[in-house]
Amino acid sequence: MSERLGITEDDRAIADAVARFAQNELAPQAHIVDRDEIRTTRYASQLAELGVMGMNLPERWGGIGASPAALILSIAEIAKACGSTASMIGAHYLATDSILIGGDDTIRDRYLPDAASGAKLGAFALTEPVAGSNPAGMITRAEREGEHYRLRGVKQFISNADDAGFIVVYAKTDPNAGARGISAFVVDRHTPGITVSAPEKLMGIRGAPAHEVTFDCLVPVANRLGEEGAGFYTAMKVLDNSRLDVAATSLGLSEAALAAAVAWAKERKVGGEPLANKQGIQWMLADMKLRLEAAWLITLQAAAKRGAGEKFSDYSAMAKLCASEAVGFITDTALQVHGGYGFTRELPLERLVRDARILRIYEGASEIQRTVIARAMVA
């Protein structure tokens, strides 16, 4: 961590504290969390004590004043120990960033301090069965009824939904206005008329369950984030932030896989000498390291732009694309270095491969990131 460009002593101190917790508390349980599909929301209170659950928030609303770089380093340390826990935190940040970016101080005061303290977990409901990469195609409706909105629709793959204290829901208030007809609402989880399905049977990140959520409920007008029609803008700003969270998760999983591959190559002997002496293995390790360092550099560059208040949508997309594609290569290559042992559940490699696969899909698939990057170039 110390050799990363642009990292301050404060950034390192925050990340080091998170790393100690992650290695002592999360890492020893990660295989059990995966095997038994144990929800990592059980760690929320401990993570809140470290400041993690509000690390994306200003101090006024319970944050710790962490920089974007410290946030990335911390999420990477958590992912290195347990990908499911990093995913749970990322979903929470999606919800709280929505309130921070789209709401006013009144609604921020109502929800963000509890979110930072771990008293209330957040969930983010944008994706629908017919609207994933194109959220403007959503069909969930919010119709004004006096001082409430009648919210009706179905959201899909909603992380944290069953354990959440509140869900930020995006819905059409004007179905004829496309993206400009989308509004955002904070909905208390136990509002009558909300149904959360059993968790999906996931390939990876099995400690961060995703659910289908059906809404047929009333939401106070006071729980709308900003003006009607402002929801799409809010969602896109939130995704700029969350793509850096996904990049950080990718970096952490990559670090874990590369460390495992290097250790195995040094210890495993074939023909009387360590695998690490074989040029073919050395080249595999070199390729993994090269991709990891490139992903770190572009992610920290995006974080620097975010911290400076500059526009960083294209850099966030590049970081997410580079890091998520890199972790796919690195985890797969690390498993290859381990040979048949890597394919067993006795070692963590197969879990890392499974956990990594979703990172090229959620918060915008790799193809969407390429579109964002290209549009910024030709605009």
Side-chain angles (χ1 to χ4, degrees), residues 75-99:
I75 293 175
E77 291 293 347
I78 290 166
K80 190 188 301 185
C82 177
S84 289
T85 303
S87 184
M88 178 272 291
I89 295 165
H92 180 70
Y93 288 170
L94 283 164
T96 54
D97 272 349
S98 295
I99 297 171

Side-chain angles (χ1 to χ4, degrees), residues 32-47:
I32 299 172
V33 164
D34 174 72
R35 184 193 67 199
D36 298 340
E37 300 184 25
I38 297 170
R39 296 179 184 184
T40 54
T41 51
R42 67 178 183 166
Y43 298 121
S45 61
Q46 293 168 280
L47 289 163

